[in-house]
Amino acid sequence: MVMKIKEIEYAISRDLVNYPKSVEIMEKRIENIRSKKKSELIWFLEHPSIYTAGTSADKKDLLKENIFPVFKSSRGGEYTYHGPGQRIIYIMLDLRERNYDVRSFVNALETSVMDTLNDLGVKSLLIKGKVGVWIKSSIKNQSEKKISSIGLRVRKGITFHGISINIKPNLNHFNGIISCGNENNGVTSLKELGVKLPIEEIDEILLKNLKKKLKINTKLTQIQS
């Protein structure tokens, strides 16, 4: 049965979601979006501690191989860490319905994160030539720290994978990789910056800003595994 899509669904998983299972769910969903059987989806979740290698990953950037499981990923980008305390937002949208090219879509996601950080009292910035959202660093020889990464894949005009935001992960877990290939940049988190709001409140603020930037309406759903 073909659906008439009126609203985008969003889901929030409170338990940790296994990475391969999340990819399986996304793959199935984007096929259903393409065939108009299901709505587009924004999915908030967290993963157990893992490293993922995007399509541009360089093996030399994996500094310690045996700390956490390493998964190859179809998203763009290089190595990154995912784990408890890091909010993941997977975004499955049909760009053909929205007059977005990939670059403008990435910029909309970046500015949604920046607006969210601003609402939380955190000043952030973009760096020309680098994807993601950054915080000025006070450490000598380290000009910025990354707080949010963006890694996407687009298939037949439909996006999947998405955003990660460091809320309160163990930042030492990033030491096993050169994160996103940025050897001279560090990583930070909202906790390190003094923000201690519950993740549920941060989710609400982020969803508000995503809706504003992407010009979408949403309704809550459950992820069917």
Side-chain angles (χ1 to χ4, degrees):
M1 180 179 177
V2 175
M3 294 176 59
K4 186 175 181 181
I5 307 301
K6 293 184 178 179
E7 292 180 301
I8 290 170
E9 294 182 332
Y10 77 97
I12 300 175
S13 296
R14 296 302 178 192
D15 296 326
L16 299 179
V17 180
N18 176 275
Y19 184 75
K21 186 64 179 179
S22 72
V23 174
E24 179 186 331
I25 290 170
M26 283 192 286
E27 294 269 1
K28 187 181 296 183
R29 187 65 174 231
I30 64 171
E31 285 305 310
N32 283 327
I33 292 169
R34 183 188 61 78
S35 60
K36 304 294 185 184
K37 292 179 181 177
K38 286 197 174 181
S39 165
E40 297 161 298
L41 176 68
I42 297 176
W43 183 16
F44 292 71
L45 67 150
E46 293 174 80
H47 290 306
S49 290
I50 58 169
Y51 295 133
T52 63
T55 55
S56 301
D58 188 328
K59 181 70 173 179
K60 69 178 176 57
D61 289 342
L62 180 60
L63 305 178
K64 299 176 182 178
E65 295 190 35
N66 300 314
I67 301 179
F68 303 119
V70 180
F71 294 97
K72 288 186 177 180
S73 175
S74 62
R75 64 163 172 81
E78 303 177 66
Y79 281 100
T80 195
Y81 165 77
H82 296 313
Q86 182 191 71
R87 177 51 94 209
I88 304 294
I89 309 96
Y90 287 142
I91 301 172
M92 288 148 270
L93 294 181
D94 191 340
L95 296 186
R96 297 168 301 183
E97 301 275 335
R98 309 178 182 286
N99 296 318
Y100 274 119
D101 57 35
V102 175
R103 180 60 253 178
S104 62
F105 181 67
V106 168
N107 184 254
L109 299 183
E110 289 172 330
T111 53
S112 296
V113 173
M114 292 181 73
D115 288 349
T116 299
L117 295 174
N118 187 62
D119 289 343
L120 296 170
V122 174
K123 189 174 181 179
S124 61
L125 69 152
L126 304 179
I127 301 175
K128 186 175 181 179
K130 294 183 180 181
V131 176
V133 180
W134 304 78
I135 306 295
K136 279 288 185 184
S137 174
S138 59
I139 298 175
K140 187 178 180 180
N141 299 324
Q142 186 186 85
S143 56
E144 300 92 14
K145 290 184 176 183
K146 198 170 200 179
I147 195 167
S148 175
S149 295
I150 296 175
L152 292 173
R153 178 75 184 270
V154 181
R155 181 179 297 163
K156 296 179 181 177
I158 300 169
T159 68
F160 58 120
H161 298 285
I163 305 168
S164 66
I165 301 176
N166 296 331
I167 295 176
K168 54 177 183 179
N170 184 337
L171 295 178
N172 290 328
H173 290 170
F174 285 88
N175 293 339
I177 55 172
I178 297 176
S179 182
C180 302
N182 296 308
E183 190 168 5
N184 297 320
N185 296 106
V187 291
T188 190
S189 67
L190 288 174
K191 181 180 178 180
E192 186 177 62
L193 297 169
V195 177
K196 298 178 181 178
L197 281 181
I199 194 168
E200 293 83 2
E201 292 186 33
I202 296 171
D203 286 344
E204 288 180 10
I205 296 168
L206 181 58
L207 182 62
K208 174 200 73 174
N209 286 310
L210 284 168
K211 288 167 66 173
K212 182 178 178 181
K213 286 294 180 186
L214 298 174
K215 298 180 176 62
I216 56 175
N217 293 314
T218 59
K219 63 179 180 180
L220 184 63
T221 189
Q222 297 291 321
I223 291 294
Q224 301 297 321
S225 58

